[in-house]
Amino acid sequence: MATSFCMPDIIKKKRDGNELSSEEIKWVIDRAIGKDGERCDDSQLGALLMAIYLKNMSPSETVSLTSAMTKSGELEWPDSPPDSCKWKLVDKHSTGGVGDKISLVLAPALAACGMKVPMISGRGLAHTGGTLDKMESIPGYNIYLDNDQMTEALETVGCCIVGQTQNLVPADRKLYKTRDITATIESFPLIVASIISKKAAEKIDALILDVKCGKAAFMKTIEEGRKLAKALVNASAGQGIKTRAFLTNMDCPIGNTIGNALEVAESLQCLHGHGPADVVDLVCDLGGNLLDLTDTMPLETGREAIRIAINDGSALKKFRLMLIQQGVEEPLATSLCNIGMDDVDEVWACLKKAAYTTDVKVEKAGYVAAIDGYELAIISRNLGAGRTKDSDKIDHAVGIRLFVKHGSKVNKGDVWLGVYHSGEQSLPTSTIDAINNSLTIQDTEVQPMTTRVIEKVD
Ligand code: URA
């Protein structure tokens, strides 16, 4: 006989702080998506989410929720892939940063090392940029691939960077929408199940998590980041995925650009072998760990393999093929990947350039002690690089370019930042003031940041 529960009893059980069984959780998720025509009332789902928000979930409840959501809509890959040996499917998730273009370099680098990377990415969230928005600054790039098209992309290229389709984890769509209107977004188990269910639905073998911590991240402290990382690793391992998380510093932006086309330009620089060290090193760290987790090669060799794929052009070749596979016309993909990219401004030979650029100069000599990534992200978003509501249209060409790093020595009058903008030719004084306020200069020498990685969690 089929198990039957009832929503008010389950809501009451959670409301009173009790643990739900995996059967109850699966039953609720089936009703949330209206499986077999049986749908719970939206108010009941909202009430349950609020009870979860207030009373939390145990690690085993979170694993059950993740499993139930995953099963609501998974991808299917061929049983006997044409390239003879078993696919090693891998992916990475970042909790969101400023200037975070890691995926654009990591996916093709991993593909060049023989991995299959079905990277399902998101749009910008709050002040953080989104990989899909960045990819869409390349004319023709199609983020909507169905399961068959993704399979073809993995067979022919090895990687794809796509958006969530209608039938991938519909339970997450339903829950996310309901969380959004019931003030329950910030619940740890709900965040964890939402993130991991989408990764588990890709049926990956290994996952690397980049949990950003600091001023420009959602997790402001290392303690918060560690708690989220542990919960994510636990839920992911509970789905049978080999998982490792890294807490990484996100006080100042990563790399030297913020904004969509500008970040594509910097990713191309990386793929030409001369990207900024903080981006390239993190790509090598995360990629090396995935090669290690899949038993492809030991960690150090893996890091080196990723670095080689970046430096010898094989990752760039994969990037070009991925663009073509996802709808970019071949001449444009070829031209974009053929630019030398000694300087990010070379990209405007292929992508739309902002109407104006304004240089901002250092007001006093000294050493760069801090660059406020959060403030710069808000400024970039207000220029049009991000959204404040769903319906906002992005201006892919606008953004910010940094000419200094944490620890740089600067003289008064040096250009430390370039703004790429549209609209009026001159920027409002309030914007220039906000930009200057985001830079902290001190008289004494500052040790440059040698690595973004704070700690590993597995
Ligand atoms: N990203 C997701 O996919 N879900 C969340 O709940 C938060 C971030």
Side-chain angles (χ1 to χ4, degrees), residues 362-385:
V362 176
E363 293 178 323
K364 70 165 200 171
Y367 296 87
V368 175
I371 302 170
D372 188 330
Y374 180 76
E375 278 306 320
L376 292 182
I378 297 296
I379 292 163
S380 176
R381 187 193 68 189
N382 292 345
L383 293 170

Side-chain angles (χ1 to χ4, degrees), residues 102 252-256 266 275-283 405 452:
I102 298 294
C252 56
I254 184 160
N256 302 325
E266 195 169 48
D278 56 355
V279 177
V280 176
D281 288 350
L282 190 54
V283 169
K405 301 289 275 181
R452 289 269 166 175

Side-chain angles (χ1 to χ4, degrees), residues 93 125 176 179 190-191 194-195 198:
H93 176 82
L125 196 65
Y176 199 92
R179 285 163 63 200
L190 297 179
I191 292 172
S194 168
I195 292 171
K198 284 173 285 194

Side-chain angles (χ1 to χ4, degrees), residues 195-259:
I195 292 171
I196 299 299
S197 62
K198 284 173 285 194
K199 295 298 171 190
E202 296 171 12
K203 302 202 170 123
I204 48 176
D205 300 294
L207 175 65
I208 203 86
L209 298 157
D210 181 1
V211 178
K212 307 263 185 217
C213 306
K215 258 193 164 153
F218 292 109
M219 299 295 123
K220 302 291 175 210
T221 65
I222 294 177
E223 290 68 35
E224 270 183 298
R226 193 179 289 132
K227 198 173 140 205
L228 178 62
K230 282 186 175 162
L232 287 166
V233 169
N234 186 62
S236 182
Q239 309 309 308
I241 304 169
K242 290 184 179 172
T243 312
R244 222 168 259 168
F246 285 88
L247 305 187
T248 64
N249 180 295
M250 188 31 77
D251 286 324
C252 56
I254 184 160
N256 302 325
T257 58
I258 308 168

